[in-house]
């Protein structure tokens, strides 16, 4: 049983006295049988709370600097039309009472708290975002991470790992960006995919008939969820761990990369689709950045001299994180060059940076 | 001076008694010198409010059905680190107290209420969305609408008309979609643009050397704002109302369309880029739908028999509105066919439907 939390705020061009606004509102609260408590704020404006039937709770604050805020909390199964009417009446009444002094009226969509389906998944740059999720289709706690697949009316099913939106069925733009934006020819090439458990990259690249694609994904439960619920992304490619031109190793990529380095194996393309904070069975470095650099260094070591390394970066707004990443690129055992592209991935609701890296 | 509103919610697998949780938290509130009021909820769980220094206000609710909600309101210039610490301490303490019973912990980015820059602009399908707006660059109340241009770090400047996100400088995808998705050849053609005051369509279509583009935009103040602040969208095309291959009529499109119908003028392309609820100096129809149909009908009348009419629809989630629109298409004075496409417009943060309409 979720709590619906409504807010209604008035920005004013000048401070108002609670005496000129509050008495005019009280009749509305009393009609709704709300019981009032006025709190002492030590000079920080007027603050009253109102408790009503069915667990309803209202806060009225006339702040001392030209802002009036109203909160209304009720349960989801309450009479929502009645509460909408109360908010409408409060908005109308306050618009009259504050006449000529209002610079903004803001009434946001209700925040749904404790709902069965969690619709709030902030962006990488920390903004509050409500998704149109209507059902949870897969949920597993694997040995490595929390895995959820939720359904969005507009984006299709969407994979969320440890609370981060990873990929939706609508997000071919992500896959296209991380395989080089349509400018590469994979025919006859050796390709290594790190992570990529949703199968999107594998499904796209295999179409171009590379010599061999090796995908190293640590988490069988990601593969299991995606092959069932993300078929617009992976098609049938995850149904078998080996197939014509590809193999999937369900392993930690760090030892696999080390073995490849030892054996002197190289790849024409290395595509790093690991999570932002990569997971390993043996994270031998303390800091995330050092661990990221380890994987990057190993990847560059297995990259053919004329090969390309593709990876996602971060939100274009995360300037500092992107700069730090680019600093790491300057600290590898082999000098590299890089370019980046900003791409709109539909379900991300923020622009995303992708990197192309090559050996100098 | 904005109010920061934090929420911290615990979903539980079973209801808990406030007696088992509240006493363990009170010391944290008392450390912060918060004064407690316990409210009678008539059997709807435990509800306490706490007033502190600097206008701080906290609500603690232990709902009777397995949900604990905490609200913390403070002013933007308060000691945010201290309040973060309080929330961290509350989260940590409650995680221990509710041990084994927690199914979800949700702590959202703070809602900023009454902020100087309004960052909350819900989607067409009514979801709460926080944009990364950091400054207001243009604001006018014209005779027709409220015009705002806000700056987004990732999307560039963004035009908002009557509270609806219209177009950002990042949104070439919108312009490309509404001119036919790159599949049309405008060379030598007669083109009519309805609305389009941001200049995006005009700037793109003019590149293809049509015979003549006539753009009919009612609001000079939209043109003024966009030619100054949306130059990534319009380039220099709005600097003059006439130019090589185009003319801009700053007029209501309804009488213009009527005149064209009367004169028997036709166009190879009619591009309707009016706002969702179009504005006219003489809205002769009562309902928005009838008014929309009037414009649609007039547009189809001036469309060459082999011409195409392009327009935006709505959010792909607004199924009912889209169905109603398609119903209108069946009620025109001339039978039409249509197709639609779903497009990701970066700044919209929801997928958008575009229509192509033609005479049967």
């Amino acid at each position: 049983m979720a709590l619906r939390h409504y807010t209604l705020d008035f920005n004013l061009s000048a401070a108002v006295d609670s005496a000129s606004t509050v008495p005019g509102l009280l009749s509305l609260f009393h009609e709704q049988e709300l019981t009032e408590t006025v709190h002492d704020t030590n000079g920080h404006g007027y603050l009253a709370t109102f408790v009503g039937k069915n667990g309803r709770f209202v806060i009225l604050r006339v702040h001392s600097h030209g802002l009036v805020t109203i909160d209304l909390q009720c349960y989801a199964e309450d009479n929502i039309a009645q509460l909408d009417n109360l908010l409408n009446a409060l908005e109308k009444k306050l618009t009259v009472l504050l006449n000529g002094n209002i610079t903004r009226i803001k009434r946001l969509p209700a925040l749904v708290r404790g709902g069965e389906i969690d619709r709030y998944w902030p962006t990488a740059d920390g903004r509050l975002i409500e998704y149109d999720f209507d059902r949870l289709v897969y949920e597993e706690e694997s040995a490595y991470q929390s895995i959820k697949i939720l359904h969005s009316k507009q984006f299709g099913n969407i994979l969320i790992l440890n609370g981060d939106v990873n990929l939706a069925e609508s997000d071919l733009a992500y896959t296209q960006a991380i395989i080089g934006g349509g400018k590469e020819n994979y025919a006859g090439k050796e390709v290594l995919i790190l992570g990529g458990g949703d199968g999107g990259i594998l499904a796209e690249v295999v179409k171009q008939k590379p010599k061999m694609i090796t995908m190293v994904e640590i988490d069988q439960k990601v593969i299991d969820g995606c092959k069932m619920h993300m078929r617009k992304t992976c098609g049938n490619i995850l149904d078998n761990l080996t197939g014509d031109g590809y193999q999937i190793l369900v392993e930690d990529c760090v030892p696999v990369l080390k073995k490849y380095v030892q054996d002197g194996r190289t790849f024409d393309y290395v595509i790093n689709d690991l999570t932002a904070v990569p997971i390993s069975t043996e994270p031998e470095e303390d800091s995330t950045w050092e661990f990221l650099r380890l994987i990057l260094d190993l990847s560059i070591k297995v990259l053919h001299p004329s090969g390309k390394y593709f990876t996602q970066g971060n939100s274009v707004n995360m300037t500092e994180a992107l700069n730090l990443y680019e600093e790491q690129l300057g600290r590898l055992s082999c000098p590299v060059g890089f370019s980046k592209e900003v791409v709109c991935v539909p379900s991300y609701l923020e622009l995303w940076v992708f990197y192309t890296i090559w050996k100098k």
Side-chain angles (χ1 to χ4, degrees), chain A residues 246-270:
Chain A
Y246 76 92
Q247 58 171 334
I248 301 171
L249 310 178
V250 184
E251 290 180 45
D252 180 354
C253 73
V254 174
V256 172
L257 280 167
K258 284 182 172 169
K259 181 77 170 41
Y260 287 159
V261 171
Q262 216 175 357
D263 296 351
R265 262 200 80 171
T266 60
F267 295 86
D268 301 299
Y269 291 100
V270 178

Side-chain angles (χ1 to χ4, degrees), chain A residues 45 91 192 295 304 332:
Chain A
E91 180 173 342
L192 178 64
I295 289 176
H304 189 273
L332 302 183

Side-chain angles (χ1 to χ4, degrees), chain A residues 292-327:
Chain A
L292 273 173
R293 196 168 73 234
L294 169 71
I295 289 176
L296 195 51
D297 210 32
L298 291 168
S299 300
I300 295 295
K301 279 181 180 155
V302 302
L303 190 65
H304 189 273
S306 66
K308 281 185 184 165
Y309 175 88
F310 294 122
T311 190
Q312 58 155 322
N314 209 314
S315 159
V316 73
N317 276 353
M318 297 298 279
T319 328
E320 206 181 327
L322 294 168
N323 287 343
L324 277 168
Y325 182 76
E326 291 167 24
E327 268 178 36

Side-chain angles (χ1 to χ4, degrees), chain A residues 145-158:
Chain A
Q145 56 202 334
S146 137
I147 309 164
K148 285 190 176 64
I149 300 179
L150 285 148
H151 178 262
S152 150
K153 191 174 164 189
Q154 63 187 315
F155 301 127
N157 286 333
I158 185 163

Side-chain angles (χ1 to χ4, degrees), chain A residues 61-102:
Chain A
R61 298 185 75 170
V62 180
H63 302 273
S64 47
H65 57 275
L67 176 66
V68 175
T69 59
I70 294 172
D71 292 77
L72 191 162
Q73 298 183 349
C74 69
Y75 293 118
E77 81 281 25
D78 201 338
N79 184 337
I80 301 300
Q82 195 176 71
L83 293 159
D84 268 340
N85 285 343
L86 173 59
L87 282 165
N88 289 343
L90 285 166
E91 180 173 342
K92 200 170 156 189
K93 190 85 184 178
L94 268 166
T95 304
V96 172
L97 291 168
L98 302 167
N99 179 32
N101 196 4
I102 299 169

Side-chain angles (χ1 to χ4, degrees), chain A residues 35-39 46-51:
Chain A
T35 307
E36 183 185 11
T37 307
V38 179
H39 302 260
Y46 174 88
L47 165 55
T49 54
F50 302 84
V51 178

Side-chain angles (χ1 to χ4, degrees), chain A residues 156-231:
Chain A
N157 286 333
I158 185 163
L159 174 67
I160 297 181
L161 297 177
N162 283 341
D164 280 335
V165 168
N166 255 250
L167 197 84
E169 288 182 299
S170 59
D171 296 347
L172 184 59
Y174 176 96
T175 303
Q176 283 173 336
I178 206 170
I179 67 174
K183 287 171 295 202
E184 304 302 320
N185 179 2
Y186 284 90
K189 301 290 169 61
E190 284 278 358
V191 183
L192 178 64
I193 302 170
L194 307 177
D198 55 64
I201 296 169
L202 181 57
E204 281 306 304
V205 174
V206 83
K207 291 177 189 168
Q208 292 192 33
K209 309 268 180 214
K211 186 175 170 198
M212 187 50 146
I213 310 171
T214 303
M215 171 173 140
V216 191
E217 163 62 52
I218 201 171
D219 201 337
Q220 180 68 51
K221 287 193 168 160
V222 170
I223 294 174
D224 290 345
C226 292
K227 84 176 167 197
M228 246 187 307
H229 301 292
M230 301 278 294
R231 289 189 85 85

